[in-house]
Amino acid sequence: VNETAAENVQMTHRRKVILDELIKDHSHPTADEIFHRVRKKLPRVSMGTVYRNLELLSKNGLIRTIESGSSRRYDADLHDHYHVRCVICGKIDDAPIEPNPELLLQMAEATDYDLTGHNVEFFGVCPSCKRNDDFKHQDNQEEQDNG
Amino acid sequence: VNETAAENVQMTHRRKVILDELIKDHSHPTADEIFHRVRKKLPRVSMGTVYRNLELLSKNGLIRTIESGSSRRYDADLHDHYHVRCVICGKIDDAPIEPNPELLLQMAEATDYDLTGHNVEFFGVCPSCKRNDDFKHQDNQEEQDNG
DNA sequence: TTGCTTGCAAAGGGTTTGCATAGGA
DNA sequence: TCCTATGCAAACCCTTTGCAAGCAA
């Protein structure tokens, strides 16, 4: 529609460093986590710059955002994929299954909306949190709640 | 697991009014919207009470939350269903398709997570925003961004 | 009495923004 | 030159929390 093509984003140095850090980082980091990584290379970078650039990159389709827990996360992997979130530690992983194109088609037929996409998020306990729970009793699991 | 059964929630008057308002309201309101509705019946209710009760109701499985845009939304419809969000006005509707149990099964086989559930959210332009865009030019659509 | 609930106001976390300066086409 | 990008700090929005008072079992 009115989205600027990726080529239209002028790559300032800060912008490129932020994007590159996100490309290297497959953990779906928050703005704050990206900020700390970027700061190692650009010690004077500010939080505002990180937020402004992440928003610009996302609006121009060079990265995508994940709205899930209390803070937004970012993902430079544009390949269509689903996510799974650990309800204990909050970690987000890529789901190891292919998106189902049927889902969108089925919905497109049933709704009056003009669809542009869909997100799928699974919830569960990640392997590492499962292991921890084997040692502890399964009492204190209320650190994170699923959505 | 360690979730209190719904019957274990003692229904204080405020709690009941909040729950009833949410049951009547199918628009997936935010805490603030619920607050304003409840306030018409209980003029001295406070925001803190609304948040505390919504959290308690949700932890006890009497309502569910929708984490989507910038603010959390609440839904008293516990029947398993998907949602669709308008990328223009931010409204959330129920998706008119049945959840696909295959999706969860397929994922359960492929992942090391112990799955507890999944959410599906579609994005698109709602009928009413489509109509508005016919009159305007399709320029100023940046009020809401999809996630 | 004892523990849960509430109003109020303040604090908190995450994100956005105004402004003056710096930098790039 | 002119427009965009940046650092900084303040503002903002949404949500949570401490506290003292109120209620209910």
Side-chain angles (χ1 to χ4, degrees):
Chain A
V1 197
N2 65 347
E3 54 224 326
T4 320
E7 300 80 39
N8 293 349
V9 179
Q10 67 166 289
M11 268 300 154
T12 66
H13 186 221
R14 266 143 173 66
R15 193 116 76 215
K16 176 137 184 49
V17 172
I18 290 169
L19 178 56
D20 287 348
E21 286 303 315
L22 186 55
I23 288 172
K24 279 188 289 181
D25 186 340
H26 295 188
S27 74
H28 313 91
T30 61
D32 190 65
E33 288 161 352
I34 295 165
F35 171 67
H36 286 297
R37 290 195 60 156
V38 169
R39 234 194 182 180
K40 291 181 183 157
K41 307 216 164 154
L42 304 171
R44 299 197 48 72
V45 80
S46 72
M47 204 59 190
T49 294
V50 171
Y51 270 108
R52 273 185 288 234
N53 280 305
L54 288 171
E55 196 199 346
L56 185 146
L57 291 169
S58 140
K59 282 212 165 156
N60 286 282
L62 280 85
I63 65 177
R64 63 179 277 204
T65 61
I66 307 170
E67 315 278 353
S68 182
S70 52
S71 43
R72 190 180 300 145
R73 291 171 175 278
Y74 299 88
D75 193 347
D77 179 1
L78 298 174
H79 152 261
D80 192 23
H81 63 288
Y82 298 157
H83 291 121
V84 54
R85 178 154 65 97
C86 178
V87 297
I88 308 288
C89 69
K91 172 176 68 169
I92 293 190
D93 278 325
D94 292 339
I97 62 173
E98 284 304 304
N100 181 355
E102 268 305 309
L103 200 57
L104 197 54
L105 291 176
Q106 190 194 348
M107 176 66 177
E109 270 179 38
T111 186
D112 291 330
Y113 277 63
D114 278 356
L115 294 185
T116 58
H118 72 301
N119 278 343
V120 175
E121 184 175 51
F122 296 94
F123 302 102
V125 182
C126 74
S128 122
C129 285
K130 275 196 283 187
R131 260 179 267 120
N132 292 344
D133 278 355
D134 291 345
F135 291 104
K136 307 177 193 174
H137 294 285
Q138 50 268 63
D139 293 329
N140 46 346
Q141 304 187 349
E142 30 240 86
E143 284 119 61
Q144 298 266 344
D145 52 313
N146 81 55
Chain B
V1 199
N2 65 347
E3 54 223 325
T4 319
E7 300 79 39
N8 292 349
V9 179
Q10 67 166 291
M11 268 298 155
T12 65
H13 186 221
R14 268 143 171 67
R15 193 117 78 215
K16 176 138 184 49
V17 172
I18 290 169
L19 177 56
D20 286 349
E21 285 304 313
L22 186 55
I23 287 173
K24 280 189 288 181
D25 186 340
H26 295 187
S27 74
H28 313 91
T30 62
D32 191 64
E33 289 160 350
I34 296 165
F35 171 67
H36 286 296
R37 289 194 60 156
V38 169
R39 235 196 183 178
K40 290 180 184 158
K41 307 216 164 158
L42 305 170
R44 299 197 48 74
V45 80
S46 71
M47 204 57 187
T49 294
V50 170
Y51 271 107
R52 273 184 288 232
N53 280 304
L54 288 171
E55 195 199 347
L56 185 146
L57 291 170
S58 140
K59 284 213 164 155
N60 285 281
L62 280 85
I63 64 176
R64 63 180 277 203
T65 62
I66 307 170
E67 315 278 353
S68 182
S70 51
S71 43
R72 189 180 302 144
R73 291 170 175 277
Y74 299 87
D75 193 346
D77 180 0
L78 299 174
H79 150 263
D80 192 22
H81 63 287
Y82 297 158
H83 291 122
V84 53
R85 177 153 66 97
C86 177
V87 297
I88 308 289
C89 69
K91 172 176 67 170
I92 294 190
D93 277 324
D94 292 340
I97 62 173
E98 284 304 302
N100 180 353
E102 267 306 309
L103 200 57
L104 198 54
L105 290 177
Q106 189 192 351
M107 176 65 177
E109 270 180 36
T111 185
D112 291 330
Y113 278 62
D114 278 356
L115 294 186
T116 57
H118 73 302
N119 278 343
V120 175
E121 184 175 50
F122 296 93
F123 302 102
V125 181
C126 74
S128 122
C129 285
K130 274 196 284 187
R131 262 178 266 120
N132 291 345
D133 278 355
D134 292 344
F135 291 104
K136 306 177 193 174
H137 294 285
Q138 51 268 60
D139 293 329
N140 46 346
Q141 305 187 345
E142 30 238 89
E143 284 118 59
Q144 297 266 346
D145 51 313
N146 80 55

